[in-house]
Amino acid sequence: MNSTFTRRKLLRTGIASSAALSLHHDVVCPAVLCNAAEQSKADQNILVVIELAGGNDGLNTIIPHSDDEYRKARPNLRIDRQQCLAINSDRGFHPALTGFASLLEKGMLSIVHGVGYPNPNRSHFESMDIWHSCQRKDQSRIDGWVGRFLESLPRQGSNDPPALHLGREQQPFALMSREIRVPSIQSLQQFRLRSNQSVNLSDAIESIAATPAPADNDLLRFIQSSTSSAISTSKRMEETRKQIPENSTYPKTPLAEKLRTVASLIASKLQTRVYYVRLDGFDTHANQPDAHAALLREVGDATEAFINDLQGRGEADRVLVMCFSEFGRRVAENASDGTDHGTAAPVFFAGGKIRVGEIGEIPSLTDLDQGDLKHHTDFRSVYATVLQDWLECESEAILNGNFSPLELFGTKTS
């Protein structure tokens, strides 16, 4: 340590404060991310949620190309059988979803058709709040379904966060908890200590943090505790960053970068159970074809790269990816080469332990509700499946009701 760099100078210059780290403003406290070096390898199941914000057009994601009603409803937006990536003789993936098609071929993708909820609300904010909280607008909404799951976990010795949100956007309400604060981060690089030309900052802070503080100096003890945790976090994240292979096959897209970070955090042996990421842009009211294709390509390719990465690390069997949107689009296209807010849509799962193939049928295109698809699977049954059969907890209290799980795990269906 630079001997002239005293504790007093450290405090006066504020280097010991959280500003010494490039941490996102939503990060609660470095302490919750630490206690790393002595962590044992976690072996509990992990859930990774990919939120497709804006209302994904399910009918042009899993395409019923042989259905005459589909062809009539979408004279401009329809995608012909020859262009689709085949699932079976009646349905196919959007041609940009090569990532999902590949995962299905490898036995690592499941499609749950017709997911929604009664009396659908076509407002983005209200519908997403319903998915996040499992409550309607006229009910008290003080926490999210993931937050309630986190509260149900037994308190353990680890200081790792039980959940993490990656992204610049506002933290999803699904993670809201009355007892547990979930950090939001943008990247691993946020946890790196900034350089300083005049002093070895890392060594200086580490030395100051290790100096015994007077018993009556609560402020200094707090600073020492925080900086020790920050240093530990920074080193652990830097070690994790170095583990990423140079020849990584992740696409150069924002979602892929988030999932690459998640894979690295999983590899760093964090005992985090839930990771949450979001991809915006699915509100395709106009000029849908090119925009929708780009979005589907991003989510499919990023998810495939993530699963491939996990397989290479030997982690694919304990990670479940759930990909959902707040609603689908209307059956009929609009006059702007787009689609408007609708209702039911498919939910996708990826991982090494899922029941590969399709669960349920695409809702009827002739039995509609004011031009919208009728759902046949309540989204809370999807959550019940994840909570009970993957995260291994009772779902009734978390979901505020009893919902039957789906057969998502086990024997392959196709």
Side-chain angles (χ1 to χ4, degrees), residues 136-157:
R136 303 298 297 228
K137 189 176 183 178
D138 58 353
Q139 298 173 302
S140 176
R141 294 186 291 194
I142 59 176
D143 50 24
W145 74 280
V146 176
R148 295 193 290 273
F149 159 69
L150 301 179
E151 293 173 2
S152 75
L153 293 173
R155 299 297 182 262
Q156 299 178 345

Side-chain angles (χ1 to χ4, degrees), residues 107-110 320 349-356 408-410 412:
M108 303 187 76
L109 186 85
S110 180
L320 175 69
F349 288 93
K353 290 290 189 181
I354 58 170
R355 183 185 179 97
V356 64
L408 181 62
F409 304 100
K412 296 182 178 182

Side-chain angles (χ1 to χ4, degrees), residues 6 8 32 86 89 96 100 112 147 181 211 215 251 296 306 308 325:
T6 65
R8 179 176 298 176
V32 303
S89 59
F100 276 9
V112 182
R181 300 180 68 182
T211 302
L296 293 180
F306 178 61
N308 289 342
S325 193

Side-chain angles (χ1 to χ4, degrees), residues 273-351:
R273 301 294 306 279
V274 179
Y275 295 90
Y276 206 110
V277 301
R278 171 173 165 166
L279 178 63
D280 288 304
F282 285 87
D283 196 16
T284 50
H285 287 283
N287 303 317
Q288 176 173 306
D290 289 345
H292 196 225
L295 289 164
L296 293 180
R297 183 176 296 106
E298 180 169 356
V299 68
D301 291 354
T303 303
E304 184 190 18
F306 178 61
I307 294 296
N308 289 342
D309 191 1
L310 293 176
Q311 277 192 300
R313 299 174 189 268
E315 302 279 10
D317 283 354
R318 72 183 189 100
V319 177
L320 175 69
V321 176
M322 182 180 80
C323 185
F324 82 99
S325 193
E326 70 265 37
F327 46 63
R329 316 296 293 188
R330 293 181 69 81
V331 173
E333 66 186 38
N334 62 27
S336 302
D337 279 345
T339 51
D340 298 324
H341 300 179
T343 53
V347 174
F348 301 92
F349 288 93

Side-chain angles (χ1 to χ4, degrees), residues 366-384:
T366 55
D367 182 17
L368 303 177
D369 179 9
Q370 301 180 53
D372 281 328
L373 300 174
K374 294 180 179 178
H375 80 281
H376 56 64
T377 297
D378 194 297
F379 76 96
R380 290 162 291 187
S381 285
V382 174
Y383 288 174

Side-chain angles (χ1 to χ4, degrees), residues 150-196:
L150 301 179
E151 293 173 2
S152 75
L153 293 173
R155 299 297 182 262
Q156 299 178 345
S158 169
N159 285 332
D160 288 347
L164 270 173
H165 162 237
L166 287 93
R168 298 174 182 271
E169 70 277 355
Q170 183 177 3
Q171 188 172 108
F173 192 79
L175 299 169
M176 181 64 67
S177 163
R178 290 168 292 182
E179 301 175 4
I180 297 172
R181 300 180 68 182
V182 175
S184 291
I185 65 173
Q186 294 178 23
S187 68
L188 291 183
Q189 283 68 31
Q190 285 189 304
F191 294 94
R192 301 178 65 184
L193 288 168
R194 291 172 178 166
S195 62
N196 185 305

